[in-house]
Amino acid sequence: MQFNPFLKAIKTYESGKDIDLIAKEYGLNEVIKLASNENPYGVSPKAKRAIIDHAHLAYLYPDDTMSELKQALAKRYNILNENIIIGSGSDQIIEYIVHAKLDHSKAYLQCGVSFAMYEIYAKQLGVKVYKTPSLTHDLNELGELYQKHKNEIKVIFLCLPNNPLGECLDANAVFEFLENIDDDCLVAIDGAYNEFAAFKDDKKRIDPKELINKFQNTIYLGTFSKLYGLGGMRVGYGIACKEIIDVFCKLRAPFNVTNLSLKAAVAALNDDEFVQKTLENNFSQMRLYEDFAQKYQIKYIPSYTNFITYFFDKKNSTDLSEKLLKNGIIIRNLQSYGLNAVRISIGTAYENSRFFEEFSKNF
Amino acid sequence: MQFNPFLKAIKTYESGKDIDLIAKEYGLNEVIKLASNENPYGVSPKAKRAIIDHAHLAYLYPDDTMSELKQALAKRYNILNENIIIGSGSDQIIEYIVHAKLDHSKAYLQCGVSFAMYEIYAKQLGVKVYKTPSLTHDLNELGELYQKHKNEIKVIFLCLPNNPLGECLDANAVFEFLENIDDDCLVAIDGAYNEFAAFKDDKKRIDPKELINKFQNTIYLGTFSKLYGLGGMRVGYGIACKEIIDVFCKLRAPFNVTNLSLKAAVAALNDDEFVQKTLENNFSQMRLYEDFAQKYQIKYIPSYTNFITYFFDKKNSTDLSEKLLKNGIIIRNLQSYGLNAVRISIGTAYENSRFFEEFSKNF
């Protein structure tokens, strides 16, 4: 059977292994997953309550207007419902960006190493990718590449803070950069971890309202998968001017988010206590990872997220990841990004102590 | 801002209103929704238990191999995991079919009136649609149209039984039809309601294993939204030969189904008591709708599903639907399909009696 030719170029996404499968495969009693930047404190109690309280309604199709969640987000960001689109994770909003603006005759721009899904969706349509020589976000390099290829580049992805490296640009610098981007180029500010960055340093905070009011060619992406502890529920969102949201709504399939996910997201957004505890613990535990790296003379980039990336000189990241895996610690090997590095999600105090223990033995 | 030109032709999907919103708008104490063919007996007790028991795991990304659900389906249908792809509803598998096989230079074929999402996804890519003159499935007409335009037609959708009309072809006739379709044309057998048809008349049962073994150019679609009572959880699946599944997996975004949806689907698939009760009640209540139609001399097509479609001569389906809505009964007006007809989901005994009561008053 013949399929569309662009499918030939696509490699199937291979996800990480499930905790239960790894426990079985290696005969382990305990598996600690520090690989996917989930919230180590679990589901917010309010969100868990919302799921349990609405479980009996799982037979009904979701409210496809999603007005309750939009209203909660609109209130949070002081914007209107019409500025919001809800996706099955912010991944799905990335997909809409690519499908609405790009095709095989166009290109998008990103820094040297950033969130893998940008490229995965782009490749599905044969879109060209421009990446800066620097791995992390360098606005001069991004600006130069943009100016050189502005006829082709119709989307720029800025990941603030950047996954999988952890660095973050200042909001001021980003706003200055945006002054020099043409109106027809859509700039996506991926704020999947922005709450973490803003907590550490308020200069990193991107205010979606200010962003979209100043620059009609921007979209802000947020998610419930990280700080809000709902990675399994698949809820993310895009915030942009009405014109962009209306176009993206044409690409959205009806009922793209489950009804329990919508209820859980509303509850999680209002669980301030859980959010605050997560942020405080994250950065106090992060310091232990920085101290540990210094002790072992491991290079790292100061992180504005809920993970930290260790770069190696002599040790091989693949060997190390595999050794840790056999001892029940899952971390993210960045070899697929062309880096001899690993990304470690900041866990609970206990999980982190287990990481330090096993890492020390195997380093 | 410029967007891809094919987006201009797309109308945004407008979903039905939520029960709560309608209750508020019309000041109603009770709203009965017989519009979306959900399971009127709610969530299966086993599925509800699975959701509650796993709510605390909602912070973890889903197991993207989905092996537990694939295993359960493989056992049910006596096939292999490699023959299965899981989607966010079977809608998403329809999207993969369209994206893998079609573009603006190709066409797909369906009967005169069938599930709206085929056309919605096709229009997103500017794909041409061929429809038979007959509203319901007529294999002679489908065969003739296919032969005439076989160079263009690369997908055929057969909805067995057909939504929104309710009729169903015999499996034998479908298998005969498939003998005359070229290997390069993908035939999708949409079995969203096939369990209902098979319960009423075993000749309607499509066995996915037999189908894909005999015809490598077919895919069977199933869903957990109807009989299995999980409309809000968004789980459906496609069953096909490994070659097709492997290609579709390239189009699937990681984590396209929530972890609670996967757990709920496995539990629902094993809740035989709930399934049996649903099927029995559905067809005993269906008889009341047939008797009622005869009493009021309303035309209907004998239905193999969990809904029934009433066709009107003099009365206007839009007026009638609106009158019922104001009295707290939501049914599906088929005016958007170009029909002066309504589709009514078979509810519980109480819900149906309320429908008969309000319909009698307003007819």
Side-chain angles (χ1 to χ4, degrees):
Chain A
M1 179 169 285
Q2 297 282 316
F3 296 100
N4 280 333
F6 63 84
L7 287 167
K8 284 206 181 114
I10 302 174
K11 273 202 289 186
T12 305
Y13 178 88
E14 296 264 352
S15 69
K17 278 185 187 167
D18 191 60
I19 291 179
D20 292 345
L21 291 177
I22 286 174
K24 206 181 272 180
E25 190 173 335
Y26 294 102
L28 298 161
N29 292 323
E30 180 188 75
V31 173
I32 291 169
K33 187 182 172 201
L34 301 173
S36 301
N37 308 336
E38 290 138 335
N39 190 318
Y41 307 102
V43 188
S44 101
K46 287 188 181 175
K48 188 179 147 194
R49 189 74 257 158
I51 292 169
I52 291 170
D53 287 350
H54 293 90
H56 67 291
L57 297 176
Y59 72 108
L60 293 172
Y61 280 94
D63 169 20
D64 202 46
T65 67
M66 307 193 197
S67 54
E68 191 185 2
L69 178 55
K70 283 185 188 168
Q71 195 54 52
L73 286 165
K75 193 178 157 198
R76 161 68 50 105
Y77 290 122
N78 191 23
I79 52 173
L80 300 173
N81 285 24
E82 67 185 29
N83 297 119
I84 303 168
I85 183 166
I86 312 287
S88 175
S90 52
D91 284 30
Q92 199 167 48
I93 314 297
I94 296 168
E95 190 178 5
Y96 301 154
I97 293 169
V98 170
H99 283 253
K101 284 292 292 177
L102 301 171
D103 62 33
H104 60 88
S105 71
K106 303 195 179 78
Y108 89 87
L109 173 64
Q110 66 160 66
C111 68
V113 169
S114 198
F115 185 41
M117 291 310 298
Y118 310 148
E119 198 165 352
I120 290 175
Y121 286 120
K123 278 196 173 165
Q124 287 188 357
L125 301 188
V127 173
K128 190 167 179 176
V129 186
Y130 286 106
K131 296 182 186 178
T132 60
S134 291
L135 301 184
T136 57
H137 287 77
D138 179 312
L139 289 174
N140 289 330
E141 289 182 11
L142 286 162
E144 275 170 32
L145 262 177
Y146 173 70
Q147 291 304 330
K148 199 168 163 187
H149 302 286
K150 64 197 290 184
N151 290 337
E152 280 173 87
I153 294 172
K154 295 298 165 193
V155 169
I156 302 173
F157 283 106
L158 300 179
C159 193
L160 305 177
N162 189 22
N163 175 18
L165 297 182
E167 96 284 0
C168 193
L169 294 170
D170 283 0
N172 277 349
V174 173
F175 279 61
E176 249 176 65
F177 172 81
L178 290 170
E179 299 283 358
N180 296 310
I181 305 301
D182 287 1
D183 291 348
D184 190 41
C185 178
L186 178 58
V187 183
I189 307 288
D190 187 342
Y193 301 87
N194 194 260
E195 298 95 341
F196 289 99
F199 179 83
K200 185 176 177 183
D201 179 353
D202 203 61
K203 289 199 301 292
K204 311 297 183 185
R205 182 188 307 279
I206 301 286
D207 174 13
K209 184 182 183 172
E210 186 188 0
L211 176 75
I212 67 170
N213 280 354
K214 283 194 181 160
F215 303 98
Q216 301 268 307
N217 62 328
T218 60
I219 183 165
Y220 179 86
L221 308 184
T223 184
F224 286 91
S225 299
K226 307 300 175 187
L227 177 62
Y228 293 100
L230 293 174
M233 301 303 281
R234 317 305 300 125
V235 197
Y237 53 91
I239 295 175
C241 66
K242 185 175 183 298
E243 184 204 0
I244 293 174
I245 297 298
D246 284 352
V247 170
F248 283 23
C249 283
K250 294 182 175 195
L251 288 167
R252 189 184 67 81
F255 315 121
N256 59 325
V257 176
T258 83
N259 52 10
L260 297 186
S261 304
L262 294 169
K263 292 291 181 191
V266 171
L269 198 61
N270 291 317
D271 199 340
D272 294 331
E273 190 186 331
F274 178 79
V275 161
Q276 200 59 23
K277 185 189 78 178
T278 298
L279 290 167
E280 285 167 10
N281 289 352
N282 180 68
F283 287 106
S284 67
Q285 290 293 314
M286 178 82 79
R287 274 197 295 277
L288 304 180
Y289 277 91
E290 292 171 347
D291 295 347
F292 187 83
Q294 279 155 14
K295 183 174 154 197
Y296 283 87
Q297 297 187 297
I298 296 164
K299 272 184 268 178
Y300 69 92
I301 299 171
S303 170
Y304 290 84
T305 66
N306 67 346
F307 59 80
I308 191 164
T309 299
Y310 283 1
F311 294 83
F312 304 120
D313 290 324
K314 291 173 194 164
K315 289 281 171 183
N316 178 288
S317 67
T318 305
D319 292 347
L320 194 69
S321 304
E322 282 174 8
K323 274 185 197 161
L324 288 177
L325 186 63
K326 283 180 193 158
N327 289 291
I329 313 280
I330 320 177
I331 57 173
R332 182 71 188 264
N333 178 19
L334 297 184
Q335 189 262 327
S336 64
Y337 287 84
L339 302 175
N340 188 29
V342 296
R343 189 191 69 188
I344 310 130
S345 308
I346 309 301
T348 61
Y350 170 72
E351 290 171 337
N352 299 330
S353 71
R354 284 284 297 123
F355 168 83
F356 297 135
E357 188 184 342
E358 292 300 331
F359 190 95
S360 309
K361 278 191 221 160
N362 291 286
F363 191 64
Chain B
M1 179 168 286
Q2 298 281 317
F3 296 102
N4 281 333
F6 63 85
L7 287 167
K8 284 207 182 112
I10 302 175
K11 274 202 288 187
T12 304
Y13 178 89
E14 296 264 353
S15 69
K17 277 185 187 167
D18 191 59
I19 290 180
D20 293 345
L21 291 177
I22 286 174
K24 206 181 274 180
E25 190 171 334
Y26 295 101
L28 297 161
N29 292 323
E30 180 189 75
V31 174
I32 290 169
K33 188 182 172 203
L34 301 174
S36 301
N37 308 336
E38 290 139 336
N39 190 319
Y41 307 101
V43 188
S44 101
K46 287 188 181 175
K48 189 179 147 194
R49 189 73 257 160
I51 291 168
I52 291 170
D53 287 350
H54 292 90
H56 67 289
L57 297 176
Y59 72 107
L60 292 172
Y61 280 93
D63 169 21
D64 202 47
T65 67
M66 308 194 196
S67 55
E68 191 184 1
L69 178 56
K70 284 186 189 169
Q71 194 56 50
L73 286 165
K75 193 178 158 198
R76 161 67 50 104
Y77 290 122
N78 191 22
I79 52 174
L80 300 174
N81 285 23
E82 67 185 29
N83 297 119
I84 303 167
I85 183 165
I86 312 288
S88 175
S90 52
D91 284 29
Q92 199 167 47
I93 315 296
I94 296 168
E95 190 178 6
Y96 301 154
I97 292 169
V98 171
H99 282 253
K101 284 292 292 177
L102 301 171
D103 62 34
H104 59 90
S105 71
K106 303 194 179 78
Y108 89 86
L109 173 64
Q110 66 160 65
C111 68
V113 169
S114 198
F115 186 41
M117 291 310 298
Y118 310 148
E119 200 165 350
I120 290 175
Y121 286 120
K123 277 196 173 164
Q124 287 189 355
L125 301 188
V127 173
K128 189 166 181 177
V129 185
Y130 286 106
K131 294 181 186 180
T132 61
S134 290
L135 302 183
T136 56
H137 287 78
D138 179 312
L139 289 174
N140 289 330
E141 288 182 12
L142 285 163
E144 275 170 32
L145 263 178
Y146 174 71
Q147 291 303 329
K148 198 169 164 189
H149 303 284
K150 64 196 289 183
N151 289 337
E152 278 174 87
I153 294 172
K154 295 299 166 194
V155 169
I156 302 172
F157 284 105
L158 300 178
C159 193
L160 306 177
N162 189 21
N163 176 17
L165 297 181
E167 95 284 0
C168 194
L169 294 169
D170 284 359
N172 276 348
V174 173
F175 278 62
E176 251 176 62
F177 171 81
L178 290 170
E179 299 282 358
N180 296 310
I181 305 301
D182 287 1
D183 292 348
D184 190 41
C185 179
L186 178 58
V187 184
I189 307 289
D190 187 342
Y193 301 87
N194 194 260
E195 297 95 340
F196 290 98
F199 178 83
K200 185 176 178 184
D201 179 352
D202 203 62
K203 289 199 300 293
K204 311 296 184 186
R205 182 189 305 281
I206 300 286
D207 174 12
K209 184 182 183 173
E210 186 187 0
L211 177 75
I212 67 169
N213 279 355
K214 281 192 181 160
F215 302 99
Q216 301 268 307
N217 62 327
T218 61
I219 182 164
Y220 179 86
L221 307 184
T223 184
F224 285 91
S225 300
K226 307 300 174 187
L227 177 62
Y228 292 101
L230 293 175
M233 302 302 281
R234 318 305 300 126
V235 197
Y237 53 91
I239 295 174
C241 66
K242 185 175 183 299
E243 183 204 0
I244 292 174
I245 296 298
D246 285 351
V247 170
F248 283 23
C249 283
K250 294 182 175 195
L251 288 167
R252 189 183 67 81
F255 314 121
N256 59 325
V257 176
T258 83
N259 52 12
L260 296 186
S261 303
L262 293 169
K263 293 290 182 191
V266 170
L269 198 61
N270 292 317
D271 199 339
D272 294 332
E273 191 186 330
F274 177 80
V275 162
Q276 198 60 23
K277 184 189 79 178
T278 299
L279 290 167
E280 284 167 10
N281 289 353
N282 179 68
F283 287 105
S284 66
Q285 290 293 314
M286 178 81 79
R287 273 196 296 276
L288 304 180
Y289 277 90
E290 293 170 344
D291 294 348
F292 187 83
Q294 280 155 14
K295 183 174 154 198
Y296 283 86
Q297 297 188 296
I298 296 164
K299 270 185 270 177
Y300 68 92
I301 299 170
S303 171
Y304 290 85
T305 66
N306 66 347
F307 59 82
I308 191 163
T309 298
Y310 283 0
F311 294 82
F312 304 120
D313 290 324
K314 291 172 195 165
K315 289 281 172 184
N316 179 289
S317 67
T318 304
D319 292 346
L320 194 70
S321 304
E322 281 174 9
K323 275 185 197 160
L324 289 178
L325 185 63
K326 282 178 194 161
N327 289 290
I329 313 280
I330 320 176
I331 58 173
R332 182 70 190 265
N333 179 18
L334 298 184
Q335 190 261 327
S336 63
Y337 287 84
L339 302 175
N340 187 27
V342 296
R343 189 191 69 186
I344 310 130
S345 307
I346 308 302
T348 61
Y350 169 72
E351 291 171 336
N352 299 330
S353 71
R354 283 284 299 122
F355 169 82
F356 297 136
E357 189 183 342
E358 292 300 331
F359 190 94
S360 308
K361 278 190 223 163
N362 291 287
F363 190 64

